[in-house]
Amino acid sequence: MPHPAFDVLRALAIGSQALGLIVIITLETLLGDAARPWQGLTLGVMLVAALMIALVRLYRHNRLRKQRAERLGDNDHA
């Protein structure tokens, strides 16, 4: 099965990382040195989002692989 032209998970990954970078730069601009803890928190949220997206991608990949294997098994018995 070909990959769709628009991958929602890829768009979410890129968007969340871009938003996180914007927030980090904005915090630095507005708060200066006081931004460090907030920037760390933002980075942590970015990492959690990336891990969640990766897990969803892995789950979908494994589910599709299992469905393909089941279809191939059904075709063998037909």
Side-chain angles (χ1 to χ4, degrees):
M1 178 162 58
H3 291 288
F6 181 75
D7 185 358
V8 175
L9 288 178
R10 183 169 297 198
L12 279 173
I14 292 169
S16 67
Q17 298 302 299
L19 181 63
L21 182 60
I22 290 168
V23 169
I24 287 174
I25 292 170
T26 302
L27 286 169
E28 180 70 26
T29 302
L30 296 176
L31 301 178
D33 287 338
R36 298 290 182 224
W38 296 107
Q39 288 173 325
L41 179 65
T42 302
L43 181 60
V45 170
M46 288 169 63
L47 291 173
V48 168
L51 288 173
M52 288 176 59
I53 291 168
L55 286 175
V56 169
R57 183 177 295 279
L58 182 64
Y59 170 78
R60 286 183 178 179
H61 174 74
N62 286 341
R63 189 184 68 208
L64 286 173
R65 188 177 59 181
K66 184 178 178 182
Q67 288 173 349
R68 281 189 209 120
E70 287 174 355
R71 270 186 285 174
L72 288 175
D74 290 343
N75 288 341
D76 290 341
H77 297 302

